[in-house]
Structures are given as C-alpha cells and as structure tokens.
C-alpha cells in the first residue's frame, strides 16, 4: 500500500525525496503510467502541488521569466508575458492533452517526464530554458539542452525536485512558434512536432533555434537546421532547407500512430510551419495561438 | 391526436447522470462480494494442450476459478453453435476467455489470472479475408460441419455464412451496359467503445441467480445464461443498473454466464469489471472488416441498369449476429436506388480475430461508404453531377426494391434534396475545401415487446417496461406516448425498467427498435387504460364513453369542458375496486412482401419494413501537406417517420454524425500480421471528441408509412452513423483530387494517396 505525504513546505518535501519518496503534482503522467502498467505505483508519494512558491510565474530581474515547476499549462497559456514573448511555449501549453490535462498537468512534470513527445520541451529548448533543481544538498541549475538523456530519463537525481524553469529575456526582434501534427483536436499526443525561434535584424536571421518533437529518443535541437537559417534571409529556400535538415536528422519510429516514413515527411512540414510562424511573428505579424491550429493547411 | 409540445422535456435519468449520482454496474456492492478477473488467450490461434490453475489457486485470497471443465458442455451461438463459454480445445482470438478467477480483491484476482499456465501449441493465424476463403486455407473451426446451426445458412470451410440478393440477370445487364464501373473498397474494423467498460455482478439465492450487468439486452442475456448453464430462464433474473453507453457492443449476452458460474462455485457474490484493454479485446462484438467489390452498369443518361457486389465480411473467431447482418449488407450493396438487375453477395468469413457483431448501424456504414463513393465515381465517369445521379435513381413511391418489394411513400428524395440545399451544394469554395454527399436507408425491425402501464391513486402513472435504456433516451421518452393517450403530462409518469422479473419481454436496446416496438406496447397498454377511464367517467358523468375525451388531466365531455372529472379522482376510485393496470404488446407491423427467388441465406427482413431514408452532406477541408481532414460543416436530412421526441431525435443525429466522423477519419482497429490488436487503448485508438464536432444542422422529413410504429414513428438511433463516412469520403475526393478506398481514411492514407498523385503514380 502506498503512502501519501502532504508536506508543509519544500524542505519537508525534499527530505521525503531523499528518503526515497517520489513526487506527484498533477499526476497526469504518473496515474496514466501506473494504469498502463509501465511502472508500479511508488511506495511513497510526496504531494508537491500545494508547496508555497512552487506554482506561479514571476518576472526575473533581467526581463526573463521564472515559471514555478508546479504551474499548470492552463496558467502558462493565460499569462500575458508568455503569450507576448514566449509564443512558442504558449502554442505548446495551449494544446497539451485536453482541457483537464492542462488544468492539472504541470510544466515541471512535462519536463521531468522526458517523453519524446512532450509538447512544451521544444519551445523551452528554443528559449534556452534553465531547469532549477533542489535537493536537501542544495540547488543545481541545469540547461534544458541535454537535460533529457533518453526516453523518460533525465539528469535529475532521485532526491532532486524541479522547482522552476527559468527563461532568459528574449532578444529584441526574436519570436518563436511550436507546431505539432495532430489528428484530432483534443486529447492528442504529438505525432511529430517542431519548435522554432528566429531573431530577425535588418532582414537577416541573427539567431536561430530549431527543436524537434517525437522524432528522436528525446526532444532535441537540430543544429544543422539552425546553421542553415543563421545568416539567411529567412526566405522560402532557407526555410525549406532547414525543414529538410530536420527530416534528415530525425530518427522516427514506426508505431500505431504513424509510419516512420510519414513521420519523416511530416517532420519537414511541421518544421516549415514552425519556422514560418516564428518568422511571421518576428516580423510583427499575428499568428494566433495555438499555431498548430492556425497553420492548418499552410504550405 | 394532439402533438405533445416539449419545450422542456427532461429525461428522468438526466439529473442523476449529470450530477454523478447515477450508479452503474461497477459501482454496486454487496456484502461478501468477491472480485473477478479474466484470463484471456493472449495469442491469436493455438491448440490448448493444458490449463494449469494450481499456482493461481494457491495464491492467498483466491476463492474460486472457473474454466470450461466447470460448466455444462454446451455450445452456443445465435445462428451457428460454434462456441463454448470458455476456450477449451483451442484459442481462436487473443481476447478469448480461458478462465475466470474470483478473489477477495481485484488485484489478487488479476495476479492469479496471470498465474494460470497455458500449455499451447501454436496454430497458423487466419487474418486476411481473401486468404481465409482460398482453397487450402487453415480452418478456424475444423469441426464446423458438426456444429448445430440455422439450416437456412449455407456454410463451408471458413465461410461461416453466405447471403445473396438476386433480381434479374445482373451479369447480362452489366455486359450490355454502355458504361460499367468496377471498384474495390477495403474497411478496417472498429469498436463500439462505450465509455463504461462492462461490469457484471452475480449473486445466487438457492438455485436462482440475480445478475446485474451492463447489457443492452437483458432478456437476451437471461436466455444466454439459461441456455449455457443449462437452467430454466425463470431461475435467472437480469437487472441493468444505469448503462454507460453500448453502441451495439453490449448487445447479445456476453459474460453473464461466466460470472454466474464463478459465483456458484465460490458460493459468494462475484463482480467482474473490465478495464479498458479488456473492453477492447474480449467482447465478441466489434465492427466488421470488409472487402467490398462493386460493379455498376449505367446508361449514358445516368440510369442505373445493374449492380453486382461481393462483400467479404469478417466474422472473427465465432459467430455472433453476423449472418443476419450480412444479409443486410447484401441489401445495402444495392443502396436506396431503383436498379432493375441485382446480384449482390456477402460472405461471412471466419478468422482468428475478435468476433464481429452489431455496432450502431452494423455493416451499413462501411457498405454505404463504398456504395456512395462508387456512385460518385459513376457520376464522374458520366460527367453527371453526383447529386443529380442520385436524384435520377433514388427510390420513390411505387418503385420496385431489391427483392421486388413495392416501395411505399417515403422521404428519400426530399431528404436528398434538403441536405444538398442546407449545405449549399454547388457553391464556390476555397481550393482545399469541398462538399460531399451520401444517402442511405436503414430498416425498422418489427418485433414483440411488452409493457405495463398503471395509474396510481394520486393520478400519477407508472410504466413498467421490458425495454432497455442504453443512453439514447428512448425509454425515457416512453412517457410521452403514454401521456398522449391518457391526456396526461409526461412528467406525471415514473419508469420501472431494466429488470427481467418486472417488465414484459423486449429485444433490448438494439436495432433502433425501442420506441418502434416498445412504444407500441406502451400505447397499447395506455389505450386499454384509456378505455377503462372513459368507462368510469361515463358512469359518473352519465354520458356515452364515445362522447368523452381525456385531456389536460381530466375526463370530460367533448365540447363541454365544464362536465369534467380529474383523472386522479377516477384513479382513486379505482383503487377501491378493479385497479387501473393494463399490459400491452400489440401486433408488430408488417414486413413488405418479397419475391426473393434466387436469394440465398434468407433470414427474413430483407424487404426492409418501414425504412428510414436519409442524406448527409459535409464540407471538409484537407490539409494537403499532412493529409489531415477536418469536417467543417454537416447538414443532415432524415426521414425517420414522425418525430415524437424532437430533442432526443436531434441528439441521436448529432451523436451519430460525430461517431461517423470518427469512423471515417481516425478510428480503426490496427492488427499485427497474426491478428492481434495493436491499438487496444484510448491513446492510440482515436475517438474523435467534442472538439472535433463541426457545426451540424439537422432536419427531419416526416412522411407517413403504414408499417411504421405508433404515431408513424421509426427508429432514429442507427441511421445517423450510416452515411457520414461516405459523405466525408466524397468530400475528400473532391477536395484532394484523390479517392481514398481504405477505411478509416486516416491522415497518413490521405497523405500517401496525395503523394502518389504528385509523384504521378
């Protein structure tokens, strides 16, 4: 029989983790995973969703954002700074699972779960996110890039808790976008997805981030695509070449949701749309959140 | 007779369901309750050399285990007795039940079920329908010839039954036709997938068992228990608590005898509650895979001269109601069209996959999807507008149907034209959008059904019915019919239903038959009460009963409202003497006469009593880069006879359309090469959700039909699911410029076809 601890504060939670308990916030991955038989329900659960300071979004001194790990997807997509400056994250947070999933599921959970199909991770990679981890031994700040090491594996130690995700201030002239292929409009999981962040200065791309979802064992950046975009004019040729670079870098699987061939072809499509969406936004155009829906049927 | 206005008709079960207080089968508890778990075969096809339960029995908390060795050695099956309760000689699909365990907790029961050791010898899987009927194919039932079965059904090898509809000389007519179109369509299977996985509790009192089950058909479940356990039906009571949907998947008896047998051995009440995976794999009902070959001969002016068809229908490992449905499939292959020469054939094919059976409008969505695409292809070939082609050939009053039945007055053509008007057929659209249309028909199923209506001393009424509510609201609407006869209001009636010891026999929530047949029973019973009330009132008012009417809760002299007695007063008076209680059944309406000479495998009903006719038109948008199709708009025009409960009827059409969208685009059973399901979970078996539901407009065309039910009503639950995939297919073909001949028409399939077109393949 499992034990469920509702700690009074972060320190008590960390002590429990050090003692072998596993954290639960929204439970959207834990409960489903247990019911699917992927893993047994942990002997000791420590509830972290009510911890003070764990939930909510604060503006950093440098113009960045500190998102508490317990912040729900619904809260993220409702935040005006996110929808203005981190539109790619808003695109993703707006489409995770279903309304119920978004009300309950958390950003920290989505990152820690390290699913290759996690929607929020690609835009967080594009935003150069830093993961803030705490344990009884202290705090570690790890770049998200490289944090996930394999499906459902991360650098997080068993006694550590993700407490926040830090986003540095976006550079002027930059904008981001996340697009996923979906076959239904709710309760969906990314068949493939792509995030992009572009900075435009004087008609040239001076910064580029491209990340792909459900196309490799972990959500990861695609440097080949970024290099193609960097220094380009962001025109159709560069966008197409970058999209093809993602398709080439992808190592898609065959499963019930799609064949590898379809996934690879779709990798180019969603990347093209994500880059296109980010460029449009960088130029000041409106691409309504969530972009996956807005860009349905686009080139 | 006045139409009851229903501005605010509230279902009696609505509040409980919406507020979460409704109790479903898995919510029930009783002292001493044990929990059951099933052991499924797990492989598609194997000979069973041994079943070892010792380790499972040794697990602390295990109380009883039941296998075929513990139940009577009786075969069962609706049309062919090809099955035993538990697999004993062979496993013929992965979900076939081998054993059931009762334990003190569900976790222990599941652990014990996993500990049962099966000694299996692999046998070759039989999956592909064409390969299954090829000479030399491994037989799913090598001993089939010895099975008892309905003598009308021809069967041979893996062909479990064969049915034809024959009229004229179709081959000669095709040979002589100026234009002939031949095509093949292939449909995957799909699932009924009610939100509530089935749950069954059985409890014995002496030699009598009470079973609470999530069944759509409690009386059929009772028969199933009695016949398989070798006991009289009178010793079996079946009760259905609130039912969390069925969609056909809970038709026929399923696991009620297994749980009853287990409870008898355990000498304690036992409850089985399926998890989602089991609900996918174990029921012997899912929508049929099909291979559909169609040929149509047509004149240059669009007059259809001949239709031939061969339909291979997956029966799965055991026969449920597929032979009857296959006969319908042979009719649906003709479509609601005037065709002088017809030769359609359907073969029910045994495979080592999950048995198939009724799922909302069984066989019709797939066949109609193929036939209606085929109609569009014929129209393209002729250069005729698809709507016009249908208009020229659709059945109208006086036409001869597929079995030479005389077609009565109907709304088929009106529905066709209304749906086209509603959606704006022919209007300009963006390049990636298009409108598609599909029409169809679906029979009513006349049959026996019983109900009791009684009036209480306070003037309220109670309807005791054998009809089963499966969520459609059809039972909930029975008070409307009784109220109308008795001059009362629907909310003055309470309902007692879903208990085989209480109501009269009924076929259950299947075949859209509840209002059609049980409505007749309720009207019949209420009419008898009406006569008794009028007689009582006539005495009191010193009037002739013929001069009296029941209205607004009173009996009164027509034209003299002041000479009135409240019905409640008459009911109170009756309580002192002969009670106001009446039963009803009524005579089922007729099935049109047929001339079905040459037809094979006839099981009756092929002439389609009081058919519903319907057309749906859809507008879709195709994302050409991804193949994703979105349905943007649906217009539905249905001729379902008189609409008694407008809110309920419209709800059925809306739900049927959305279910049809799922069948069309995302829902499909994916099989491994050896016939096991790859996507037996709700993440990978993609139902569409409310978010995918487009704006829908519904209109009912009301045309009187002498063979309809009370007040001229017909069923309304199944027809809306029938034409939706075909309409979407035709819209996709026009928007994408390529026709998808595989169902479901998934994004990947649309994308692959588009890629072929672009590559010039």
């Amino acid at each position: 029989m499992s034990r469920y601890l509702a700690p009074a504060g972060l320190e008590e939670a960390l002590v429990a983790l050090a003692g072998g308990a596993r954290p639960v916030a929204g439970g959207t991955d834990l409960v489903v995973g247990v019911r699917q038989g992927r893993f047994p329900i942990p002997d000791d659960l420590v509830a972290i969703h009510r911890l003070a300071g764990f939930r909510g979004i604060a503006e950093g001194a440098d113009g960045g954002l500190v998102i508490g790990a317990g912040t729900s997807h619904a809260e993220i997509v409702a935040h005006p700074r996110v929808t203005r400056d981190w539109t790619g994250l808003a695109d993703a947070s707006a489409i995770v699972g279903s309304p119920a999933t978004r009300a309950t599921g958390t950003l920290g959970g989505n990152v820690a779960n390290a699913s290759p199909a996690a929607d929020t991770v690609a835009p967080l990679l594009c935003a150069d996110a830093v993961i803030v981890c705490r344990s009884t031994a202290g705090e570690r700040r790890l770049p998200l890039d490289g944090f996930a090491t394999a499906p459902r594996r991360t650098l997080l130690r068993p006694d550590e808790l993700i407490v926040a995700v830090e986003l540095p201030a976006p550079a002027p002239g930059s904008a981001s976008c996340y697009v996923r292929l979906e076959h239904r409009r709710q309760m969906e999981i990314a068949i493939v997805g792509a995030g992009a962040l572009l900075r435009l200065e004087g008609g040239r791309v001076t910064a580029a981030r491209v990340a792909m979802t459900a196309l490799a064992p972990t959500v990861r950046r695609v440097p080949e695509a970024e290099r193609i975009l960097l220094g380009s004019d962001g025109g159709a040729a560069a966008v197409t070449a970058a999209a093809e670079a993602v398709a080439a870098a992808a190592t898609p699987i065959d499963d019930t949701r799609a064949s590898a061939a379809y996934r690879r072809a779709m990798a180019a499509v969603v990347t093209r749309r994500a880059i296109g969406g980010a460029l449009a936004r960088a130029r000041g155009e409106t691409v309504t959140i969530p972009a996956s829906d807005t860009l349905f049927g686009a080139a | 007779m006045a139409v009851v206005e229903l501005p605010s008709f509230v279902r009696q079960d609505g509040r409980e369901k919406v507020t979460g207080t409704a109790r479903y089968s898995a919510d029930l508890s009783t002292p001493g309750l044990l929990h059951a778990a099933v052991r499924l075969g797990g492989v598609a096809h194997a000979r069973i050399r041994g079943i070892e339960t010792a380790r499972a029995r040794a697990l602390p908390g295990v109380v009883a285990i039941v296998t075929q060795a513990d139940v009577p050695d009786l075969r069962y099956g609706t049309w062919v007795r090809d099955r035993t309760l538990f697999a004993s000689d062979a496993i013929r699909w992965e979900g076939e039940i081998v054993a059931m365990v009762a334990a003190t907790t569900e976790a222990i029961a599941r652990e014990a079920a996993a500990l049962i050791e099966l000694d299996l010898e692999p046998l070759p899987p039989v999956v592909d329908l064409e390969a299954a009927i090829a000479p030399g194919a491994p037989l799913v039932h090598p001993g089939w010839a010895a099975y008892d079965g309905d003598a009308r059904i021809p069967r041979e090898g893996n062909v479990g039954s064969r049915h034809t509809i024959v009229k004229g000389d179709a081959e000669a007519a095709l040979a002589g036709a100026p234009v002939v179109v031949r095509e093949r369509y292939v449909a995957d299977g799909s699932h009924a997938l009610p939100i509530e996985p089935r749950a069954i509790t059985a409890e014995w009192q002496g030699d009598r068992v009470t079973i609470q089950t999530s069944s759509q058909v409690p009386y059929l479940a009772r028969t199933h228990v009695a016949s398989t356990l070798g006991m009289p039906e009178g010793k079996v009571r079946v009760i259905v608590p609130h039912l969390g949907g069925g969609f056909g998947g809970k038709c026929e008896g399923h696991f009620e005898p297994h749980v009853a047998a287990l409870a008898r051995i355990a000498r304690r009440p036992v409850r089985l509650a399926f998890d989602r995976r089991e609900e996918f794999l174990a029921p012997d009902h899912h929508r049929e895979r099909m291979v559909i070959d169609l040929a149509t001969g047509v004149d240059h002016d669009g007059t259809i001269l001949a239709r031939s068809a061969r339909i291979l229908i997956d029966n799965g490992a055991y026969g449920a109601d597929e032979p009857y449905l296959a006969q319908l499939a042979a009719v649906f292959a003709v479509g609601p069209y005037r065709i002088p020469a017809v030769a359609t054939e359907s073969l029910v094919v045994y495979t080592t996959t999950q048995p198939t059976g009724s799922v909302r409008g069984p066989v019709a969505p797939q066949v109609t999807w193929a036939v209606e695409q085929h109609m569009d292809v014929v129209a393209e070939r002729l250069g005729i507008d698809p709507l016009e082609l249908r208009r020229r050939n659709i059945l109208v009053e006086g036409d001869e149907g597929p079995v030479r039945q005389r077609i009565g007055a109907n709304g088929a053509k009106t529905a066709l034209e209304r749906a086209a008007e509603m959606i704006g057929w022919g209007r300009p659209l963006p390049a990636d959008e298009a409108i598609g249309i599909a029409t169809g028909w679906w029979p009513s199923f006349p049959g026996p059904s019983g109900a009791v209506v009684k009036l209480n001393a306070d003037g309220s009424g109670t309807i005791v019915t054998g009809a089963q509510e499966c969520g459609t609201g059809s039972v909930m609407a029975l008070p409307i019919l009784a109220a109308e006869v008795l001059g009362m209001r629907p909310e003055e009636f309470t309902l007692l239903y879903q208990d085989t010891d209480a109501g009269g026999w009924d076929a259950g929530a299947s075949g859209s038959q509840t209002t059609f047949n049980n409505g007749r029973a309720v009207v019949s019973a209420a009419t008898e009460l009406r006569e008794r009330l009028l007689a009582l009132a006539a005495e009191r008012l010193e009037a002739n009963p013929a001069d009296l009417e029941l209205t607004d809760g009173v009996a009164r002299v027509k034209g003299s409202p002041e000479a009135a007695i409240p019905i409640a007063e008459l009911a109170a008076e009756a309580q002192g003497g002969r009670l106001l209680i009446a039963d009803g059944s009524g005579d089922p309406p007729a099935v049109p006469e047929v001339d079905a000479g040459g037809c094979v495998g006839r099981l009756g009903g092929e002439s389609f009593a009081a058919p519903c006719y319907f057309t749906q038109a859809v507008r879709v948008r195709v994302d050409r880069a991804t193949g994703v199709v979105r349905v943007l708009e649906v217009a539905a025009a249905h001729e379902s006879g008189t609409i008694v409960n407008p809110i309920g009827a419209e709800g059925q059409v809306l739900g049927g359309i959305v279910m049809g969208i799922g069948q069309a685009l995302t829902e499909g059973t994916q099989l491994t090469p050896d016939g096991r399901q790859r996507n037996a979970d709700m993440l990978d078996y993609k139902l569409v959700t409310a978010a995918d539901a487009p704006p829908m407009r519904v209109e009912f065309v009301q045309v009187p039909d002498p063979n309809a039910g009370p007040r001229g009503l017909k069923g309304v639950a199944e027809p809306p699911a029938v034409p939706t995939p075909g309409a979407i297919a035709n819209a996709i073909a026009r928007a994408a410029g390529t026709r998808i001949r595989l169902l479901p028409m998934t994004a990947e399939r649309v994308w692959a076809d588009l890629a072929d077109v672009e590559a010039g393949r």
Side-chain angles (χ1 to χ4, degrees):
Chain A
M1 194 61 78
S2 295
R3 290 191 303 171
Y4 180 89
L5 174 67
L10 179 62
E11 289 310 319
E12 192 183 343
L14 295 178
V15 168
L17 288 181
R22 305 304 306 144
V24 56
T28 55
D29 287 309
L30 178 81
V31 174
V32 174
V34 168
R35 293 205 62 153
Q36 288 180 345
R38 282 211 313 269
F39 42 81
I41 191 151
D43 289 337
D44 291 305
L45 283 170
V46 53
I48 52 174
H49 60 291
R50 291 204 176 108
L51 292 180
F54 190 64
R55 182 170 195 157
I57 301 175
E59 308 221 10
D62 60 349
L65 222 51
V66 180
I67 304 177
T71 309
S72 73
H73 304 296
E75 289 165 338
I76 291 169
V77 77
H79 195 276
R81 280 296 312 279
V82 174
T83 53
R84 191 186 80 189
D85 295 332
W86 287 276
T87 42
L89 179 60
D91 288 330
S93 300
I95 59 175
V96 174
S98 64
T101 319
R102 295 192 287 277
T104 314
T106 64
L107 186 66
N110 205 221
V111 169
N113 190 47
S115 161
D119 285 309
T120 63
V121 175
L124 289 177
L125 282 171
C126 293
D128 292 332
V130 172
I131 307 303
V132 184
C133 312
R134 282 284 304 274
S135 70
T136 51
E139 183 178 289
R140 287 202 303 162
R141 298 174 73 258
L142 301 171
L144 177 63
D145 198 350
F147 182 72
T149 54
R152 316 213 174 263
R153 294 277 179 278
T154 68
L155 298 177
L156 195 69
R157 295 172 187 146
D159 64 341
E160 277 182 319
L161 187 66
I162 299 177
V163 292
V165 176
E166 292 181 355
L167 304 178
S174 71
S176 62
C177 185
Y178 174 74
V179 172
R180 119 189 139 178
L181 176 64
E182 47 193 13
H183 288 168
R184 63 180 173 191
R185 298 175 78 173
Q186 290 292 340
M187 303 293 292
E188 189 58 300
I189 182 168
I191 302 152
V192 301
L197 178 143
L198 281 302
R199 184 179 188 193
L200 277 180
E201 289 177 290
R204 287 280 143 194
V205 175
T206 58
R209 295 277 186 278
V210 177
M212 60 183 181
T213 306
L215 285 162
T218 61
V219 181
R220 71 167 180 85
R221 282 171 58 181
V222 187
E224 306 90 314
E226 295 175 354
R227 277 197 294 275
I228 290 167
L229 291 166
L230 198 61
S232 78
D233 61 356
V239 173
T240 303
E244 292 304 328
V246 169
T251 52
I253 56 167
D254 265 310
D255 69 5
T256 56
R257 284 166 216 156
S259 69
Y262 180 59
R263 276 200 169 90
R264 192 180 296 281
M266 292 306 99
V269 175
V270 293
T271 306
R272 212 158 61 218
R273 288 179 184 173
I275 296 171
L279 283 167
R281 285 168 174 166
R283 293 189 195 104
E285 298 163 21
T286 299
V287 178
T288 304
I289 297 163
S292 298
D293 192 41
T294 307
L295 298 175
F296 178 86
Chain B
M1 201 175 283
V3 172
V4 176
E5 293 294 331
L6 295 165
S8 60
F9 175 67
V10 175
R11 292 172 56 146
Q12 291 186 15
D13 62 352
R15 186 176 301 275
E16 283 171 84
K17 287 182 172 176
V18 171
T19 57
T21 56
R23 306 241 291 172
Y24 295 84
S25 293
D27 299 328
L28 303 173
S29 194
T30 188
L33 183 69
L34 296 175
H35 300 267
V38 292
R39 175 59 188 266
L40 305 179
V43 299
H45 200 191
R47 180 168 294 116
I48 300 177
R49 287 191 295 229
I51 301 170
E52 181 49 71
T53 59
R55 284 181 67 207
R57 283 181 202 282
L59 193 70
V62 171
V63 177
I65 296 177
V66 60
T67 67
Q68 186 62 26
D70 308 298
V71 296
D73 185 22
L74 295 170
R75 290 194 167 274
Y76 71 94
T78 308
W79 301 98
V80 178
R81 297 185 181 280
D82 57 10
R83 194 166 177 197
T84 53
L85 285 178
F86 297 88
S88 60
D89 60 331
I91 291 164
R92 295 186 175 86
W93 100 91
E94 62 170 324
E96 184 166 7
I97 182 168
V98 179
M100 195 182 280
V101 181
T104 49
T105 71
E106 186 179 331
I108 293 171
R110 286 184 177 278
E111 190 182 344
L115 287 174
I116 295 172
E117 293 157 83
L118 305 181
D119 181 7
L120 302 178
E121 175 191 336
L123 291 172
V126 181
V127 181
D128 181 81
L129 297 178
E130 298 238 64
I133 60 169
L139 291 180
V140 178
H141 291 276
W144 64 268
Y147 296 166
D148 288 337
D150 191 302
R152 293 170 293 179
I153 297 176
R155 50 196 170 105
E156 182 179 9
N158 283 327
V159 174
S161 68
R162 176 171 174 267
H163 310 266
T164 67
I165 297 291
V166 176
K167 183 173 83 165
D169 187 343
E171 282 314 310
L174 283 169
V179 177
V180 177
V181 176
R182 293 181 189 273
E183 292 185 288
R184 166 168 286 196
Y185 291 86
V186 177
D188 291 345
S190 60
H191 292 266
L193 216 59
I195 290 299
E196 176 205 27
R198 68 202 62 215
I200 298 159
T201 301
E203 183 168 12
W204 290 81
Q205 295 95 5
D207 62 351
R208 196 155 195 271
V209 65
T210 299
I211 299 171
Q212 309 222 37
T213 176
S214 36
S215 172
Q216 290 176 247
V217 291
Y219 289 91
L220 273 59
R222 182 179 71 174
T223 302
H224 183 47
V225 173
S227 65
T228 54
L229 296 184
M231 55 194 285
E233 289 200 3
K235 299 289 188 188
V236 184
R237 179 184 181 192
V238 174
I239 298 170
V240 182
H242 281 298
L243 186 64
F247 304 101
K250 293 172 183 168
C251 285
E252 296 196 299
H254 288 272
F255 299 95
E256 292 86 1
H258 305 72
V259 181
L262 186 58
R264 186 161 58 185
I265 294 168
R267 298 178 158 275
R268 280 169 69 174
V270 172
R271 177 174 76 203
L272 172 73
F274 269 180
D275 66 16
R276 182 55 68 185
R277 182 175 167 76
E278 290 160 345
E279 182 61 29
F280 265 103
L281 297 179
D284 54 357
H285 261 60
H286 84 301
R287 204 185 273 293
E288 311 85 352
R289 286 186 294 144
M290 287 191 195
V291 177
I292 303 166
D293 288 307
L294 296 170
T296 298
V298 62
D299 213 335
H300 292 295
D301 67 356
T303 304
I304 302 178
L305 304 172
R307 163 77 43 83
S308 76
R310 188 195 71 161
I311 306 175
L312 301 183
I313 301 177
D314 183 16
N315 187 50
Y318 299 97
D321 42 16
E322 211 53 65
Y324 187 79
L325 302 173
Q327 179 191 251
L328 298 185
V331 180
F332 290 127
V334 183
Y337 298 111
R338 181 173 51 248
I339 306 181
V342 167
T344 65
E345 174 185 36
S346 57
L347 303 175
V348 176
V349 181
Y350 277 114
T351 63
T352 55
T353 63
Q354 184 176 19
T356 59
S358 56
V359 174
R360 198 175 193 170
V363 302
Q366 308 99 301
V367 178
T368 302
W369 163 79
V371 165
E372 288 299 286
Q373 290 214 73
H374 185 66
M375 288 295 285
D376 267 33
V377 172
V378 169
E380 279 164 33
R381 187 74 65 83
L382 294 171
I384 294 177
D385 178 88
L387 174 62
E388 180 56 28
L389 180 72
R390 288 175 175 80
R391 196 185 278 130
R392 287 181 195 174
N393 291 287
I394 201 157
L395 288 173
V396 299
E397 184 174 9
D399 278 344
E400 185 188 83
V403 284
R404 299 196 191 280
Q405 76 270 45
R406 195 53 56 190
I407 299 298
N410 70 75
K413 195 168 192 176
T414 309
L416 173 69
E417 288 171 344
R418 273 308 294 150
E421 281 163 22
M422 286 157 70
I423 201 131
W425 181 261
R427 70 185 151 119
L429 292 169
D432 56 355
E433 290 185 18
I435 289 170
I437 200 164
T439 195
W441 63 337
W442 179 261
S444 299
F445 295 99
S449 185
V452 170
V453 179
K454 53 185 182 176
L455 290 188
N456 307 305
D458 64 353
S460 66
T462 298
I463 299 170
V464 185
T465 174
Q468 174 57 39
E469 175 63 54
C470 72
T472 61
S474 52
V475 170
M476 296 299 118
L478 292 171
I480 296 172
L481 292 168
E484 200 172 75
V485 173
L486 293 169
M488 295 167 62
R489 287 178 286 118
E491 57 269 29
E492 290 176 307
F493 289 85
T494 55
L495 278 162
L496 177 63
Y497 61 109
Q498 56 210 14
D499 182 341
T500 55
D501 271 9
W505 191 91
D506 182 83
S510 65
S512 307
Q513 69 94 34
T514 298
T515 320
F516 188 85
N517 288 317
N518 199 249
R520 181 188 70 241
V522 168
V523 166
S524 169
T527 302
E528 187 186 325
L529 281 190
R530 173 188 165 82
E531 283 160 16
R532 303 250 325 267
L533 282 170
L534 290 176
L536 287 173
E539 255 176 59
R540 292 273 303 270
L541 294 169
E542 297 178 349
N544 186 329
D547 296 333
L548 299 182
E549 63 181 357
L550 297 179
T551 185
D552 295 333
V554 300
R556 68 185 189 190
V557 178
K558 289 177 198 164
S560 314
E562 67 284 356
I565 307 174
I567 289 172
E569 211 176 304
L570 297 170
E573 186 185 312
Q575 181 127 315
R578 187 181 164 206
L579 297 175
L580 286 171
I581 178 166
D583 57 30
S585 181
D587 296 320
V591 176
E593 284 185 24
V594 303
D595 174 3
C599 297
V600 170
R602 294 184 53 207
L603 301 174
E606 61 276 78
S607 62
F608 278 22
C612 301
Y613 296 88
F614 38 82
T615 296
Q616 289 178 4
V618 307
R619 179 165 60 92
V620 307
R621 186 175 173 204
V622 177
D623 184 339
R624 296 184 66 93
T626 63
V628 178
V629 174
R630 281 191 183 172
V631 179
L632 303 179
E633 179 186 1
V634 179
H638 283 246
E639 195 258 274
S640 296
T642 308
I643 299 302
V644 172
N645 173 9
I647 297 171
E650 185 181 30
Q652 283 301 299
V653 177
L654 300 179
I657 291 169
V658 176
M659 191 168 177
I661 292 173
Q663 287 172 56
L665 299 176
T666 60
E667 287 187 51
T669 310
Q670 297 181 25
L671 298 176
T672 61
D674 69 347
R676 287 170 301 125
Q677 189 177 352
R678 298 171 71 205
N679 59 339
D681 63 85
M682 301 254 301
L683 185 61
D684 290 315
Y685 181 93
K686 295 218 183 281
L687 289 174
V688 294
T689 77
D692 301 291
M696 296 174 268
R697 285 178 62 202
V698 179
E699 276 191 21
F700 291 104
V701 177
Q702 304 193 49
V703 176
D705 184 320
N707 294 332
R711 279 204 28 212
L713 65 82
K714 303 176 187 175
V716 75
E718 287 163 302
V722 174
T724 315
I728 292 172
N730 284 331
I732 293 172
R734 295 178 130 215
T738 179
R739 190 165 286 284
I740 312 300
R741 292 183 173 84
L742 296 173
L743 190 69
M745 301 170 288
T746 61
E748 183 164 351
R749 286 171 170 174
V750 174
W751 168 80
D753 266 30
L754 281 165
D756 281 352
V757 170
E758 277 168 27
R761 287 193 287 266

